[in-house]
Amino acid sequence: MLDRRHVLAGALTSTMVGWSNRPAMSAAPIGAAELGPPQPFSFDDLKQRAKALSKEAYVAPPQPDAGDPLKGMTFDTFAQAVYKPEMELWRGAPGAQTVRLFPQGRFYAEPVGIYVIENNAAREVVYSPDYFNMPGDHPLRKLKSAGFAGFRLMSRGGTSDWLAYLGASYFRASDPYDQYGGSARGLAINTGEPEEFPRFTNFWLEPNSSGMTIYALLEGKSVTGAYRMDSRRIEGGQGGALQDIECELYFRAPVHLLGVAPLTGMFWYGENSGSFRGDWRPEVHDCDGLSMWTGRGERIWRPLSNPPRIVTNSFLDENPKGYGLIQRDRNFENYQDDSLFYDRRPSMWVEPLSDWGNGSIKLVQLPTPNETEDNIVAFWNPEHPVEAGSVVNARYRLYWGLDSPPAGDVARIVATRIGLGGLGGRDLDLRHTKPGARKFMIDVEGKTLENEVRGGPQVVVTSSHGTISGVEAFPVIGTKRWRMMFDLGDLNGQAADIRAYLAKDGQALSETWIYQIFP
């Protein structure tokens, strides 16, 4: 079983270099690819295949042995295998989405089946090293059983890609700024614990009038599944990408912690970290908060952190309206990175399209020593336990874009800063600081605050432990922002869960800010 960070690292380095009733496009040339014989295909057939597989014993894919050419392959060596543009699937077909394929690599040694669909029939793309430009002595030329590892959808002109599937069940989009960041997954199992990584073993691709419908077969030790993902780019406005996803899951074995519609990101440090990390950049993260819209309509913002240990938080809900890992800070000055462009990383937002019932949004945060490891995971965990023989169906819409949907009539949390408790920052006399206390400065911005004056909005703040003091709300001079300020002390070595928001006359003016502070 691969370590989760090996899977994530492999997927990351490789991709750095409307419900689906839309009609499929008429028959069009696939390109120069060699195809196998046609076989009937439908989503119902795929579900039945997944169901039948769930009743069979799981057979793990073989891993590279010491003599395998993939063993120890570096990223530079992997990058030498470049897919030939003239071999793109659907190249030359008017209006069709073109596709390029990934070869196998060190962290994605197991090949996957790639099929194209036309007229309700599927034909396998037959692998050949001739699809790739690579040196004559490249390790991929020495594989005994070679194949593709994944695929990517190309932008017009073929200069970049906007959606890629590679490694386990990971996939990611680069819109709206042509910059990859966090990833989505088909399924998460036991995240933060000894984790299982089911993987997409086969893909079926069908261009439609607005993009690509992607079908996938998921296989793992505990589960099999059938997926349909209608994927398209958002034209106009702020742009982005959108996927309508349906999955039907069949469980071979009980699952302790099931994660439906999982999102994965990286948070090394940010404005709330409060300590020097030795890096020259002010902030390093590709998402800075978990945004939630509860079934009762409350908008919640949870700033992310790099915790001292693995921390899992649960937010109980019934039929949530949505959740996402969001990169809300878009100011280049706060990152200063003109190579990896963290200010351009896409946000990810999940909107349920079916009745999800009772359950919880889970946030798993793992400690990380650097920016190469994705350490943040968010997903939906259904209330009912998953036993052998269970069937789970879920439908949801996944947005890739600038932010979560507008918060309606409440202002948004835009910054969280944490420092020494007391008057630090407003009085330079450090004798006024409170030993062991923390000061919280939380910036809020939105239309509900535009006409407010000092003394109107009030901070409503609670904590599970400790003593709250110095509570104040005030406009930030020279900006459109307001600031919530308070101190939290007397924690006595305990962690504390904090909630705060701005209100006036009993009505919330802002999102609810929630946070967990460690001693």
Side-chain angles (χ1 to χ4, degrees):
M1 184 67 67
L2 287 175
D3 178 86
R4 76 179 302 276
R5 294 187 170 178
H6 286 166
V7 175
L8 292 171
L12 173 64
T13 54
S14 300
T15 52
M16 276 185 171
V17 211
W19 194 243
S20 182
N21 287 321
R22 290 176 174 80
M25 297 187 66
S26 59
I30 303 300
E34 180 184 350
L35 304 178
Q39 299 289 336
F41 179 85
S42 71
F43 190 35
D44 286 338
D45 291 339
L46 183 58
K47 291 178 182 178
Q48 290 304 311
R49 179 174 174 180
K51 183 178 181 180
L53 282 171
S54 71
K55 301 181 185 301
E56 300 176 4
Y58 174 65
V59 178
Q63 296 298 309
D65 57 28
D68 193 293
L70 295 179
K71 195 75 172 180
M73 179 190 287
T74 66
F75 174 67
D76 288 341
T77 300
F78 173 79
Q80 290 176 348
V82 179
Y83 195 83
K84 297 176 179 178
E86 63 269 22
M87 300 300 290
E88 285 180 341
L89 305 183
W90 289 284
R91 182 177 181 85
Q97 169 66 65
T98 60
V99 178
R100 295 185 188 180
L101 307 177
F102 287 112
Q104 292 167 264
R106 178 181 177 186
F107 296 116
Y108 18 84
E110 304 89 357
V112 300
I114 305 286
Y115 298 80
V116 296
I117 300 174
E118 287 190 321
N119 300 322
N120 300 317
R123 302 178 68 187
E124 185 174 11
V125 181
V126 179
Y127 175 82
S128 168
D130 293 337
Y131 284 88
F132 302 93
N133 288 315
M134 55 184 169
D137 61 349
H138 195 279
L140 291 178
R141 296 191 183 277
K142 304 173 185 177
L143 290 178
K144 296 178 181 178
S145 178
F148 303 109
F151 65 93
R152 52 184 179 151
L153 307 188
M154 302 305 296
S155 301
R156 290 186 177 89
T159 57
S160 62
D161 52 349
W162 65 273
L163 184 65
Y165 284 71
L166 182 65
S169 66
Y170 286 89
F171 56 100
R172 61 180 64 198
S174 62
D175 285 338
Y177 288 140
D178 195 25
Q179 180 68 51
Y180 281 112
S183 301
R185 266 196 276 178
L187 199 65
I189 295 181
N190 299 334
T191 303
E193 305 172 7
E195 190 168 359
E196 178 182 338
F197 287 93
R199 69 185 193 98
F200 290 138
T201 58
N202 292 275
F203 295 98
W204 292 262
L205 309 179
E206 183 178 28
N208 58 49
S209 59
S210 59
M212 181 73 71
T213 300
I214 300 163
Y215 301 91
L217 176 66
L218 183 83
E219 297 187 61
K221 182 179 179 180
S222 302
V223 65
T224 63
Y227 285 72
R228 178 177 182 170
M229 295 165 276
D230 183 25
S231 308
R232 55 199 182 276
R233 308 182 87 170
I234 300 172
E235 303 294 339
Q238 296 179 333
L242 185 151
Q243 295 179 281
D244 284 347
I245 298 174
E246 179 182 354
C247 62
E248 187 150 297
L249 307 169
Y250 304 89
F251 289 87
R252 289 186 168 111
V255 171
H256 169 63
L257 181 60
L258 176 64
V260 175
L263 308 173
T264 300
M266 181 277 295
F267 185 95
W268 185 16
Y269 62 92
E271 60 203 7
N272 59 316
S273 299
S275 61
F276 179 65
R277 300 277 174 162
D279 194 277
W280 61 272
R281 294 162 294 181
E283 300 180 40
V284 178
H285 51 79
D286 58 29
C287 48
D288 55 8
L290 169 65
S291 178
M292 293 174 280
W293 190 358
T294 71
R296 295 181 299 174
E298 183 180 18
R299 298 303 294 260
I300 297 174
W301 177 255
R302 167 63 183 269
L304 299 175
S305 64
N306 185 357
R309 61 182 183 275
I310 297 175
V311 176
T312 299
N313 297 115
S314 300
F315 308 98
L316 298 178
D317 204 357
E318 179 179 1
N319 291 322
K321 291 182 171 63
Y323 63 91
L325 291 179
I326 307 300
Q327 185 76 316
R328 187 166 279 182
D329 188 344
R330 296 291 176 184
N331 187 351
F332 173 81
E333 295 296 325
N334 293 337
Y335 302 95
Q336 291 294 326
D337 195 322
D338 60 353
S339 175
L340 298 179
F341 296 106
Y342 287 106
D343 57 305
R344 301 181 183 180
R345 302 293 174 104
S347 297
M348 301 172 285
W349 179 262
V350 171
E351 175 193 345
L353 296 176
S354 57
D355 187 343
W356 282 16
N358 291 309
S360 60
I361 296 169
K362 299 279 190 182
L363 173 65
V364 181
Q365 299 178 107
L366 299 94
T368 184
N370 53 52
E371 64 196 293
T372 65
E373 300 175 344
D374 283 4
N375 64 318
I376 305 295
V377 187
F379 53 83
W380 174 253
N381 177 231
E383 177 185 49
H384 297 295
V386 175
E387 305 293 345
S390 294
V391 179
V392 173
N393 181 279
R395 294 172 54 234
Y396 57 97
R397 180 165 291 159
L398 175 56
Y399 292 93
W400 306 80
L402 292 181
D403 202 346
S404 54
D409 295 331
V410 296
R412 302 188 316 160
I413 310 296
V414 293
T416 298
R417 298 179 178 87
I418 305 172
L420 296 173
L423 297 180
R426 307 186 77 192
D427 190 325
L428 297 181
D429 187 347
L430 294 181
R431 292 174 298 175
H432 291 165
T433 61
K434 301 175 183 178
R438 310 282 183 89
K439 178 176 292 295
F440 293 85
M441 295 287 198
I442 305 159
D443 287 0
V444 185
E445 186 176 297
K447 292 183 179 180
T448 56
L449 300 171
E450 288 180 353
N451 297 317
E452 296 293 341
V453 297
R454 192 176 186 126
Q458 302 295 317
V459 181
V460 180
V461 56
T462 59
S463 177
S464 61
H465 296 290
T467 302
I468 296 171
S469 61
V471 181
E472 191 175 351
F474 51 90
V476 181
I477 296 173
T479 75
K480 296 181 179 180
R481 297 182 175 185
W482 275 69
R483 182 164 290 167
M484 297 188 283
M485 181 180 75
F486 59 89
D487 287 358
L488 179 64
D490 302 324
L491 290 175
N492 299 320
Q494 298 185 79
D497 295 304
I498 320 165
R499 294 173 61 92
Y501 62 93
L502 281 177
K504 181 179 179 181
D505 299 329
Q507 297 295 317
L509 298 180
S510 74
E511 295 175 315
T512 300
W513 173 92
I514 61 176
Y515 202 72
Q516 187 172 46
I517 194 75
F518 298 95

